Amino acid sequence: EDEQIVAEIMRRRFFPDLITHKTWEGFHFAGHEIRITEATDCYGAVVWPSALVLCYFLETNSKQCNLVDKNVIEIGAGTGLVSIVASLLGAFVTATDLPELLGNLQHNVLQNTKGKCKHQPCVKELSWGIDLEKNFPRSSCHFDYIMAADVVYYHPFLDELLLTFDHLCKNDTVILWAMKFRLEKENQFVDRFQTLFDLEMISNFPSLNIALYKAMRKGRMKA
C-alpha cells in the first residue's frame, strides 16, 4: 500500500518536454497544472518529496480537511507548492520564508494562482524566531492551519523553529507537518515538539522515510 500511494504521489510530478532557459518542474494537484521554478543551488528553492506528500493529503482529504475560507500560513514555503495547492483548494494563504527566497516564491505563487483562486495568497518574510510579535502579533493573527513540509533537517535553527510554531499556534490551530527522518539530532526535535503539542501521525511512507503529522496544543486534540 505504501508503494502504491507513493507511486501515485510521484506521478503528480512532470517535467517539460523541451529544455528552456528557465528550470522548472510541473505538478498536477487540485485540478490544475502547476509550474514551479526552482534553483538547485539553494535548499529552499527545490521541491522536496515531503511537499508532495502534504499536497496529496490536502487534495485527497478535502472533505475532512476543508480549506475553503480557512486562514492558512505555511512556514518555510520554499518554492510555494504547498501554499499554491492550499490556495487552489480555497484557503486564504500566507506563504512565508527567508528574505532571499521571497522573489522566487512570489513568482511561483503569482504564476500559479492569479485568477484561479477564491483568495489571492500573499507572500511574507518570516525568519524563524525573529520579530514574531512585531510581524505576526498574537492579538490580530489567527491561523486555522499551520503547514510545514521538510522544515526539520540539519540546520542550527531548531530552537527558533519551535518558538515560531509556539507563537503562531492558537488553541484551535491545526498544524499539518510533513517530515523526512534523517539524523538523530533532527529526530529529537519531535520529542521537544511534543512538550508543547499533541502529535498524531496521520500518514506514514516508509519507502520515502516520510511521516505526515497533525498537531494541536496540548489537551486540544480530542476537544
Side-chain angles (χ1 to χ4, degrees), residues 146-163:
I146 299 170
M147 297 187 184
D150 225 359
V151 293
V152 178
Y153 54 91
Y154 187 71
H155 63 71
F157 305 109
L158 295 177
D159 289 342
E160 290 82 356
L161 174 59
L162 186 59
L163 182 64

Side-chain angles (χ1 to χ4, degrees), residues 26-165:
F27 303 87
H28 291 291
F29 285 109
H32 290 267
E33 178 182 297
I34 301 168
R35 293 192 176 190
I36 295 293
T37 301
E38 296 183 316
T40 56
D41 60 343
C42 178
Y43 285 138
V46 176
V47 177
W48 299 101
S50 291
L52 301 185
V53 167
L54 183 48
C55 289
Y56 182 80
F57 172 81
L58 295 177
E59 180 188 74
T60 57
N61 293 271
S62 58
K63 290 185 178 180
Q64 302 96 312
C65 181
N66 186 354
L67 296 183
V68 177
D69 298 329
K70 297 297 193 299
N71 202 10
V72 172
I73 186 169
E74 184 186 6
I75 61 175
T79 60
L81 180 61
V82 172
S83 289
I84 292 164
V85 172
S87 298
L88 293 171
L89 291 171
F92 180 81
V93 177
T94 302
T96 70
D97 215 312
L98 296 169
E100 59 266 28
L101 297 173
L102 295 188
N104 188 60
L105 176 58
Q106 181 75 62
H107 168 78
N108 285 328
V109 168
L110 281 176
Q111 176 176 264
N112 291 287
T113 62
K114 191 173 183 180
K116 301 177 183 178
C117 298
K118 184 175 183 181
H119 307 288
Q120 185 60 39
C122 68
V123 172
K124 191 170 180 179
E125 176 185 341
L126 173 54
S127 299
W128 298 337
I130 298 176
D131 293 332
L132 293 175
E133 182 59 29
K134 175 183 176 182
N135 297 323
F136 298 90
R138 289 179 182 270
S139 60
S140 59
C141 288
H142 180 280
F143 298 104
D144 299 296
Y145 290 92
I146 299 170
M147 297 187 184
D150 225 359
V151 293
V152 178
Y153 54 91
Y154 187 71
H155 63 71
F157 305 109
L158 295 177
D159 289 342
E160 290 82 356
L161 174 59
L162 186 59
L163 182 64
T164 301
F165 273 123

